[in-house]
Amino acid sequence: MGFQTLRGTTDLLPDELTRWSKVEHTVRRLARLYGYREIRTPLIEEASLFLRSVGETTDIVQKEMFRFADRGGQEIVLRPEGTASVVRAYVEHSLDKTEGFAKLFYLGAMFRAERPQAGRYRQFHQYGVEAIGSSSPWTDVEVIALCVHILRECGVTDISVWVASMGCRKDQARSAEELRQQLEPHKSTLCQECRARLERNVFRVLDCKQPDCHAIAWKNMKLFSLCDECAVHFDDVRRGLKENGIAFDDTQSFARGLDYYTGTVFEVRAKGLGAQDAVAAGGRYNHLVEELGGPAVGAVGFAAGIERVLMAAGHQGTKTPTTSRRGAYIAVTNAALIGHGFQFVQQLRQRGVCATMDYEAKSLKSQFREADKAQAQFVAILGEAEVKQRAVTLKDLEKGNQEAIPFDSFVDTLVQRTGSSSCH
Ligand code: ATP
Ligand code: MG
């Protein structure tokens, strides 16, 4: 038997990648539109980066990290999420000095050792943004607006946006105590893990995947109680969202499964995805930069799962974009003409016209079949008759007409007819 992909990982084949590229392109275009610049960090990081930031008691760190010691004994992790790495890079390269307010975005693979199921993989892909260096509520509004804008342009329109404020660290300590007291009477109904969470990190009960725990936690959790400053900040965020036509629900309090959040948290759920319905999530993390050795500045960001965005877009009836015909296919009638044909192909490519041909001297019929498969707009036939007349026979597959084009003007003609951007 041949080899297969590991559980929870997938090959993305060319047909599938048409949709992926569209999402990636939309992310880059819109993130830049909002003033964010791309950053790429390594897939591997020191394990302690995530212990310190995501938090020792979180599911990600306790159960989901691919962790190994390298040959020198250093603890390495395949990154499970993007924020910690971006903040590490911000601090390591003192981006506060060069960028000031650093608005960054990323796209890339993340790794979590989870039980694979629909919408949950071991290697999955996220795009995300981090706005580092501001505590203004307008940054929260901007980040949520960008998140929703990207989803909409990717065809995910049927969504609900949940916003809450977890408050500052002091507020969280108070809310944690309240939640602990409320859950205590239900302790026996909680799963074993949540009983331990009650003592160590009670907010984790809020994102337990066991239906019983989930129901009890959500029923008992009142909205986080906020100090004046956090309440004003959250009011401003909600006002900003309203003023800009972004619908949201603020009736539930929820915690995100990472320790670094303070203040605003949000989650976007898409209709039609079943249990794995969270497409994007994020929030404010006002202490992380300082905790990782940087200046004391506020920050806010989000991450979205590309697999889930594509699933949601599919469920919500967004059509796969049909690629239009482009460029040229050179068909030759015998093996001796392959070299001549190849020169044309190269000349076209040098001028930016998408061009290809077959190198096996197959029948003209099968070359036409391949041209069709390659979505070529033109087929240029190069046979003995054409060589004698020093003109190719050019067929337009869209219009269905055919004409002779002299060798000398062939490349120019195609450049003109396809426009220079014939390859997308
Ligand atoms: P969930 O509650 O579904 O486990 P999460 O809270 O762990 O999600 P985050 O860590 O906030 O998710 O990551 C942001 C987004 O990344 C999620 O909303 C989701 O779209 C995507 N995501 C997270 N884990 C996976 C995974 N294992 N496979 C595919 N996508 C994922
Ligand atoms: Mg998770």
Side-chain angles (χ1 to χ4, degrees):
M1 210 181 76
F3 291 106
Q4 292 182 336
T5 50
L6 290 169
R7 244 163 74 78
T9 68
T10 22
D11 293 317
L12 297 171
L13 303 177
D15 274 352
E16 181 78 356
L17 278 174
T18 309
R19 301 177 69 218
W20 278 72
S21 306
K22 192 167 172 258
V23 170
E24 289 162 2
H25 183 251
T26 305
V27 169
R28 292 205 163 89
R29 184 169 55 81
L30 290 182
R32 286 183 188 132
L33 191 69
Y34 280 66
Y36 289 71
R37 299 172 76 206
E38 186 166 1
I39 182 165
R40 297 188 197 182
T41 61
L43 299 188
I44 52 174
E45 295 273 1
E46 231 179 280
S48 49
L49 172 63
F50 300 103
L51 306 189
R52 284 268 290 282
S53 55
V54 173
E56 308 235 10
T57 59
T58 59
D59 278 4
I60 292 183
V61 166
Q62 285 199 332
K63 296 192 278 190
E64 299 173 1
M65 287 204 306
F66 282 101
R67 191 172 167 169
F68 57 95
D70 72 2
R71 284 160 200 257
Q74 189 178 11
E75 282 291 310
I76 309 274
V77 154
L78 293 182
R79 65 179 185 194
E81 60 105 49
T83 304
S85 305
V86 172
V87 172
R88 192 235 351 103
Y90 173 92
V91 173
E92 183 171 342
H93 304 287
S94 305
L95 293 189
D96 56 314
K97 308 233 164 55
T98 53
E99 301 269 314
F101 178 26
K103 303 212 301 184
L104 306 165
F105 76 92
Y106 60 86
L107 280 149
M110 304 294 162
F111 304 85
R112 294 187 197 174
E114 302 200 67
R115 190 171 70 77
Q117 50 193 295
R120 199 174 286 290
Y121 311 97
R122 291 187 166 176
Q123 176 178 334
F124 61 101
H125 299 79
Q126 285 185 337
Y127 60 83
V129 313
E130 312 294 348
I132 309 174
S134 168
S135 295
S136 162
W138 296 108
T139 340
D140 309 34
V141 177
E142 176 179 280
V143 163
I144 296 172
L146 174 55
C147 180
V148 172
H149 197 161
I150 293 174
L151 288 172
R152 200 174 62 223
E153 299 231 346
C154 288
V156 186
T157 45
D158 202 358
I159 55 172
S160 49
V161 180
W162 294 86
V163 275
S165 175
M166 296 181 68
C168 56
R169 288 271 155 89
K170 269 195 192 143
D171 294 345
Q172 288 181 16
R174 207 168 47 241
S175 300
E177 194 40 50
E178 281 171 24
L179 182 60
R180 198 173 292 123
Q181 279 170 18
Q182 280 149 6
L183 292 180
E184 199 59 47
H186 307 275
K187 200 169 173 177
S188 56
T189 331
L190 296 175
C191 71
Q192 200 164 8
E193 237 176 298
C194 279
R195 274 177 242 159
R197 286 172 176 144
L198 225 47
E199 308 308 322
R200 281 183 321 186
N201 192 339
V202 67
F203 292 141
R204 293 287 76 81
V205 181
L206 290 171
D207 46 41
C208 178
K209 298 279 187 290
Q210 301 280 346
D212 278 355
C213 301
H214 193 83
I216 293 168
W218 285 75
K219 207 170 75 207
N220 284 279
M221 183 65 193
K222 294 206 216 86
L223 291 179
F224 284 92
S225 57
L226 304 177
C227 64
D228 288 348
E229 205 183 319
C230 289
V232 168
H233 183 100
F234 192 41
D235 282 343
D236 286 345
V237 172
R238 287 183 288 198
R239 184 164 56 88
L241 292 174
K242 274 193 201 122
E243 283 171 359
N244 291 282
I246 299 161
F248 61 88
D249 192 315
D250 60 356
T251 57
Q252 275 183 332
S253 64
F254 57 93
R256 307 273 321 117
L258 308 93
D259 277 354
Y260 50 65
Y261 287 117
T262 50
T264 316
V265 284
F266 69 99
E267 198 164 286
V268 184
R269 297 177 203 152
K271 302 278 153 56
L273 280 196
Q276 266 65 253
D277 66 347
V279 283
R284 181 162 274 289
Y285 48 93
N286 281 346
H287 303 293
L288 184 59
V289 181
E290 195 178 14
E291 277 165 14
L292 293 182
V297 292
V300 55
F302 77 79
I306 299 184
E307 286 84 353
R308 291 194 198 173
V309 168
L310 287 170
M311 276 170 71
H315 280 293
Q316 295 183 4
T318 306
K319 299 260 181 322
T320 307
T322 45
T323 41
S324 51
R325 293 191 170 276
R326 68 211 184 287
Y329 188 97
I330 312 288
V332 295
T333 56
N334 67 54
L337 290 170
I338 291 175
H340 193 169
F342 189 73
Q343 279 186 27
F344 279 141
V345 165
Q346 276 303 100
Q347 285 166 14
L348 287 168
R349 290 169 175 168
Q350 300 287 347
R351 300 282 300 276
V353 178
C354 197
T356 188
M357 68 181 294
D358 158 66
Y359 306 121
E360 314 298 328
K362 289 196 197 114
S363 71
L364 210 50
K365 199 170 152 202
S366 75
Q367 291 184 68
F368 265 92
R369 238 189 339 257
E370 289 202 5
D372 192 48
K373 212 168 82 191
Q375 290 278 296
Q377 187 185 347
F378 296 97
V379 174
I381 303 169
L382 181 62
E384 269 115 43
E386 281 79 10
V387 172
K388 229 176 262 160
Q389 288 160 17
R390 300 197 53 74
V392 300
T393 304
L394 188 68
K395 273 192 104 142
D396 186 326
L397 296 185
E398 246 163 28
K399 299 198 179 109
N401 59 358
Q402 173 173 322
E403 63 191 306
I405 309 282
F407 284 175
D408 289 344
S409 56
F410 170 58
V411 174
D412 283 340
T413 305
L414 276 192
V415 169
Q416 260 172 27
R417 291 197 190 171
T418 57
S420 58
S421 59
S422 79
C423 260
H424 307 290

